[in-house]
Amino acid sequence: RRKMKPRIAVFLQPQHAEYDQIRSAALEAEQIGADVIYNWDHFYPLYKEDGTQWSEGERREGKHFECWTMLASWAEVTSKADIGPLVTCNSYRNPELLADMARTVDHISDGRLILGIGSGWFEQDYEEYGYEFGTAIWRLKELEKSLARIVSRMEKLDPQPKRKIPILIGGGGEKVTLRLVAQYADIWHGFATKTEDRSGIETVAHKNSVLNKWCDEVGRNPNDIQRSIGIDINRIDLADELLAAGATEVTLAVNGPGYDLTKVKEWISWRDSKK
């Protein structure tokens, strides 16, 4: 892999906050030097205001805003950082429409959009907004069909995007998701998740090797796919190990409404110390 400075992505979770707080956080993230600013595509908060999880089956409530209209605003108010959803839920929009939305936000941002997409998982969103939830494998098959449609529509749009919009696919499924990454994505997003038999760093290294094998199978150069990895913002002690495991971008989640970016600054200093 060619050596480049790692990228630092700030993942602003658009929950429990007024919009002006979210916009201020996006501006601050750019001002302190973040390479990328992500939001997410949900209709309800995923975590409580204190960052803890709801219990199984508990209804989630709280302030929340829609993903893509927010990205259009970020495209206007920021000027340097890449922006995108981490990740768009494939089920929520027709794929041709999504391609057109992405192309439009790409133009508003002057070529800074990343099209993050995944198969979806948050059942409350689906039920409340009237989308078919189906099964996990059905949603993955729908994602595969949609990716082909998005690529096809993107080629027909007039005007064309400012650049080939990078596609980011989120998820770690080794049989289907990572194959789709090898076929369609410019960026893979996963998490440094600890499991029974692997540390978070070992998980990253393992998933990277599976993705590289899929690249071989589909005839893709694995170096053409960036690896964006989410890690606990407090674990800067693992930064160099994360790079060694194959990460090219570190994604740091910051919860609303406070959006404290103090820890992000430490990661940016670490990035800037790299040759």
Side-chain angles (χ1 to χ4, degrees), residues 13-17 22 40 45-48 63-64 255-257 259:
Q13 301 175 339
Q15 56 183 5
H16 307 301
I22 299 172
W40 67 30
L46 296 190
Y47 307 102
K48 296 180 179 177
K63 288 176 184 165
H64 207 282
N255 196 15
Y259 298 113

Side-chain angles (χ1 to χ4, degrees), residues 55-241:
S55 52
E56 189 69 33
E58 194 179 358
R59 187 179 165 76
R60 308 179 196 208
E61 294 286 5
K63 288 176 184 165
H64 207 282
F65 288 101
E66 193 276 328
C67 169
W68 276 92
T69 34
M70 183 184 303
L71 287 171
S73 162
W74 287 9
E76 283 282 8
V77 300
T78 61
S79 59
K80 298 188 292 287
D82 284 348
I83 57 171
L86 199 68
V87 288
T88 302
C89 176
N90 174 57
S91 313
Y92 301 163
R93 297 163 197 84
N94 162 286
E96 283 76 13
L97 172 64
L98 181 61
D100 204 337
M101 289 164 62
R103 182 278 312 254
T104 300
V105 175
D106 185 63
H107 273 261
I108 298 170
S109 69
D110 196 25
R112 293 182 289 120
L113 181 80
I114 293 168
L115 175 50
I117 193 165
S119 58
W121 61 273
F122 183 22
E123 194 165 5
Q124 185 177 312
D125 276 354
Y126 283 78
E127 286 180 357
E128 289 282 335
Y129 279 64
Y131 297 109
E132 184 179 352
F133 189 59
T135 63
I137 194 66
W138 176 77
R139 292 194 300 278
L140 269 172
K141 285 177 177 164
E142 289 296 300
L143 173 63
E144 182 163 14
K145 288 186 228 166
S146 293
L147 284 162
R149 288 168 62 181
I150 288 165
V151 169
S152 170
R153 175 55 49 187
M154 206 64 89
E155 289 168 354
K156 298 172 185 170
L157 291 170
D158 183 13
Q160 281 285 287
K162 290 278 186 171
R163 62 172 176 175
K164 182 193 176 293
I165 296 174
I167 292 176
L168 174 152
I169 295 177
E174 296 178 18
K175 291 191 177 76
V176 182
T177 305
L178 292 179
R179 171 176 61 79
L180 293 179
V181 172
Q183 286 175 286
Y184 288 102
D186 305 283
I187 308 165
W188 168 61
H189 184 268
F191 291 96
T193 309
K194 195 173 177 190
T195 62
E196 279 179 24
D197 54 344
R198 291 191 181 101
S199 73
I201 300 296
E202 287 165 338
T203 299
V204 173
H206 169 71
K207 299 286 185 189
N208 266 322
S209 70
V210 174
L211 175 52
N212 291 343
K213 282 186 192 131
W214 274 120
C215 286
D216 288 342
E217 289 210 19
V218 304
R220 186 93 186 271
N221 180 348
N223 289 331
D224 290 344
I225 302 175
Q226 295 294 307
R227 320 296 166 108
S228 170
I229 306 297
I231 193 168
D232 181 341
I233 199 168
N234 298 305
R235 294 308 304 269
I236 195 162
D237 58 303
L238 296 175
D240 288 323
E241 289 178 55

